[in-house]
Amino acid sequence: MADKPSIPKGTRDFTPLEMTRRNHIFDTIRKIFKTYGYLPIETPAMEHLSSLMGKYGDEGDKLLFKILNSGDFKNKLSDDELATIPAGKLGTMISEKGLRYDLTVPFARYVVQHRNEIVFPFKRYQIQPVWRADRPQRGRYREFYQCDVDVIGSDSLLNEFELIRIMDQVFSVLGLKVVIKMNNRKVLTGIVEMIGEPDRMIDVTVAIDKLEKVGLEKVMLELEQKGLKRDSIKRLAPVLQMEGSSLKKMKFLEGYLEGSHIGEEGLSEISQLFGLMENDPAEAEFELDLTLARGLNYYTGSIFEVKSAEVQIGSICGGGRYDDLTGIFGLDGVSGVGVSFGADRIYDVLLQLDRFPRKDEMDTQLLFVNFGQREALHIFPILGQLRKNGIASELYPDVAKMKKQMSYANARKIPFVALVGEQEIEDGVITLKEMETGNQERLTPDQLVDRLS
RNA sequence: GUGGAUGUAGCUCAGUUUGGUUAGAGCGCUGGAUUGUGGUUCCAGAGGUCGCCGGUUCAAGCCCGGUCUUCCACCCCA
């Protein structure tokens, strides 16, 4: 016997039940995206490596899946040439394509490439898989779907507001309690300016991000080890120790960031957004979280992250504003903002909480028992009538024992079974059995359609 | 990428400590009791080269090494 077949690490097969549930998530999200006026696009699974590299930081580059060039690479080079290839250079010589890491960067590429046909501001949504060479765990896969919504070509904060509304609506419709966290990169920039370490943005945000996990002392120690001046750390301390409501935090920052132009600008954006939210409150908890930094280094303004309030699984949605992502592809001065829903994690959360709707899980509504050729011929027109009326129905393909056919209906969770034998044909009726109750009734084809519509 | 666990029937798991003849259970599956009635019950049956490769041994599911998978922490994030 050959070895059992398998699939690569971090990838998954989806069963019919799983697909039904996944589609429930995709359908819900897609429907909401549409009602806000977003348009669908798709981009290829692979991009030029040059489009992907350097957009996600050093860590991100390592997590890119690279595609080996086709053809015999070695053949084109002499042994001498081969031997003189510098270490680490080989990769770029034998691979020029990679699998997409997210949908935002390919979108930026798309916008630049199609700039002449796009009507700005361009609102698009995109639901496709992405790939990351991460080490898999629960809620962390090497192939997973993202559902992105972005607006590009508009600086207005109303876009941020709209995205918050979308996030709130998606999770409310899916029946999940979530916390929507927001922050602003400009405020973080303001903070590092105020403490006199304008170049240490990354170190400081990473440290702030760890605050909840490791505590104040360890964070300060780490900053010291990273070479931050003692004086700077001292000035950062009040930010780290800040507690209380979003409103209180904003009050504090008002004083703290005084004099930092960019910091004040970020704070003003935050308070405007909170103002809009106050006028039209979200169902979800909505809060300012200064420890929210987000790694993807193209964000420049608002940043968002959504976490489940009921299941611990990391963020299930995230995003932010990027002022110059298209600049890398040669189109300057176009600002965008967007968020990405992690369908696979949302699936895990819904599964754990058992919140998938039951009604989606049955497809076929009616099964005709197969008594034989003559009866089957009689049934086909009735099947046609049912299907034209949108009632999913099927005839058991084999003339099997009744017990077997009933068991099939049972296993498939088909709610109704129709019996059409000699007697029924003669009387022009169908015996309809409701599986749950066991009740049976005799109906004409028209009555049957009415009954199941 | 770093550290730590895990893998026995379709599924959930015993058995591994002290290596020793045919590897177990429950659920599921197949058939029958019930040849136009499923879910309950009863009876019978099928199904495993103990993740894979190698080593130690007279003998390995059990000990050792490697490898893959899944999971946990870090990292990062969806």
Side-chain angles (χ1 to χ4, degrees):
Chain A
M1 268 281 277
D3 284 346
K4 264 189 197 168
S6 62
I7 53 175
K9 185 198 288 207
T11 65
R12 296 153 298 155
D13 284 328
F14 300 111
T15 63
L17 176 62
E18 286 167 330
M19 276 317 294
T20 303
R21 292 173 165 176
R22 287 171 67 82
N23 284 336
H24 169 246
I25 297 171
F26 292 131
D27 293 346
T28 302
I29 290 175
R30 186 180 295 114
K31 203 169 146 194
I32 292 172
F33 287 174
K34 279 182 174 176
T35 62
Y36 282 80
Y38 290 79
L39 305 169
I41 69 160
E42 288 203 2
T43 62
M46 62 183 106
E47 293 275 347
H48 292 307
L49 225 34
S50 56
S51 298
L52 263 19
M53 297 286 284
K55 313 293 190 297
Y56 309 105
D58 292 344
E59 287 299 315
D61 281 356
K62 280 187 214 153
L63 297 180
L64 285 172
F65 272 110
K66 291 168 185 145
I67 296 170
L68 195 60
N69 290 349
S70 0
D72 189 353
F73 149 83
K74 225 178 124 184
N75 223 1
K76 295 176 191 157
L77 293 175
S78 70
D79 285 352
D80 284 349
E81 281 175 309
L82 209 56
T84 56
I85 295 170
K89 197 75 201 296
L90 186 66
T92 61
M93 297 185 72
I94 62 176
S95 169
E96 291 156 354
K97 297 180 286 294
L99 295 175
R100 69 166 101 81
Y101 177 93
D102 70 358
L103 300 178
T104 307
V105 167
F107 174 52
R109 192 224 83 224
Y110 175 97
V111 168
V112 175
Q113 212 173 313
H114 296 259
R115 62 181 117 175
N116 291 327
E117 27 182 297
I118 291 173
V119 179
F120 292 100
F122 182 38
K123 302 170 75 167
R124 80 90 231 248
Y125 73 87
Q126 187 172 356
I127 299 176
Q128 290 191 274
V130 302
W131 294 270
R132 295 182 191 178
D134 222 331
R135 192 185 274 208
Q137 276 179 38
R138 172 187 294 284
R140 180 156 142 183
Y141 309 101
R142 287 185 150 188
E143 178 184 60
F144 61 96
Y145 272 74
Q146 291 196 328
C147 314
D148 274 38
V149 249
D150 288 76
V151 190
I152 200 157
S154 164
D155 295 325
S156 169
L157 270 178
L158 290 183
N159 298 307
E160 270 91 334
F161 175 62
E162 183 170 276
L163 290 171
I164 297 168
R165 298 247 67 91
I166 290 176
M167 291 190 269
D168 189 42
Q169 192 175 340
V170 164
F171 291 111
S172 147
V173 170
L174 289 173
L176 292 177
K177 283 180 74 176
V178 297
V179 182
I180 302 174
K181 296 179 175 193
M182 78 152 306
N183 195 7
N184 195 301
R185 274 280 167 94
K186 291 175 188 167
V187 167
L188 295 173
T189 306
I191 289 171
V192 291
E193 267 182 17
M194 292 316 287
I195 65 167
E197 301 273 3
D199 302 330
R200 307 303 293 274
M201 170 91 155
I202 292 170
D203 288 334
V204 172
T205 53
V206 167
I208 292 177
D209 190 40
K210 279 189 186 165
L211 193 61
E212 239 174 278
K213 276 184 194 164
V214 301
L216 183 65
E217 275 178 37
K218 281 194 178 166
V219 165
M220 292 177 72
L221 196 73
E222 193 182 316
L223 286 171
E224 207 175 320
Q225 283 166 350
K226 287 213 167 131
L228 259 82
K229 292 190 283 289
R230 229 164 238 226
D231 190 40
S232 308
I233 297 173
K234 217 168 159 186
R235 273 194 272 179
L236 183 64
V239 178
L240 298 175
Q241 285 168 304
M242 184 174 46
E243 278 175 3
S245 67
S246 304
L247 221 70
K248 268 190 180 164
K249 290 177 188 167
M250 284 187 265
K251 274 260 161 62
F252 166 83
L253 287 171
E254 227 169 89
Y256 188 85
L257 291 171
E258 208 177 336
S260 162
H261 177 69
I262 191 150
E264 286 178 335
E265 194 179 305
L267 185 59
S268 148
E269 290 180 12
I270 290 174
S271 50
Q272 281 180 62
L273 270 178
F274 268 86
L276 287 166
M277 292 307 294
E278 212 170 297
N279 178 59
D280 186 11
E283 255 180 61
E285 206 179 313
F286 180 67
E287 64 173 41
L288 172 63
D289 183 354
L290 286 176
T291 71
L292 179 61
R294 295 197 61 80
L296 297 179
N297 54 11
Y298 47 68
Y299 291 125
T300 51
S302 306
I303 43 185
F304 304 103
E305 193 165 290
V306 180
K307 288 197 160 181
S308 165
E310 301 160 288
V311 174
Q312 211 179 354
I313 196 163
S315 61
I316 53 181
C317 177
R321 180 171 283 277
Y322 40 90
D323 276 334
D324 199 30
L325 192 51
T326 57
I328 309 156
F329 296 110
L331 180 63
D332 289 326
V334 181
S335 179
V337 57
V339 294
S340 175
F341 292 80
D344 301 80
R345 283 188 181 171
I346 294 172
Y347 178 95
D348 289 342
V349 172
L350 282 170
L351 185 69
Q352 191 170 328
L353 296 170
D354 194 24
R355 300 253 171 93
F356 284 107
R358 286 278 179 277
K359 68 169 168 59
D360 280 2
E361 286 170 16
M362 62 186 202
D363 37 3
T364 298
Q365 285 198 71
L366 176 62
L367 175 78
F368 281 86
V369 171
N370 192 336
F371 286 112
Q373 174 84 359
R374 205 169 76 80
E375 289 85 348
L377 288 174
H378 177 80
I379 284 164
F380 290 138
I382 305 174
L383 272 171
Q385 196 183 340
L386 286 161
R387 289 167 180 160
K388 264 183 209 149
N389 282 280
I391 299 159
S393 40
E394 56 185 291
L395 167 69
Y396 194 86
D398 301 303
V399 186
K401 278 182 194 153
M402 191 122 174
K403 180 189 168 101
K404 184 161 181 155
Q405 301 195 42
M406 294 298 286
S407 300
Y408 171 79
N410 212 43
R412 284 274 314 271
K413 295 185 176 124
I414 298 172
F416 294 98
V417 168
L419 305 171
V420 183
E422 246 174 81
Q423 193 59 51
E424 282 89 352
I425 292 175
E426 204 172 297
D427 298 346
V429 295
I430 293 117
T431 298
L432 181 73
K433 174 175 175 131
E434 188 177 358
M435 292 297 276
E436 202 180 329
T437 59
N439 293 341
Q440 291 187 198
E441 49 192 322
R442 283 158 64 87
L443 303 168
T444 66
D446 288 341
Q447 288 173 324
L448 180 67
V449 170
D450 283 351
R451 176 80 172 76
L452 297 181
S453 292

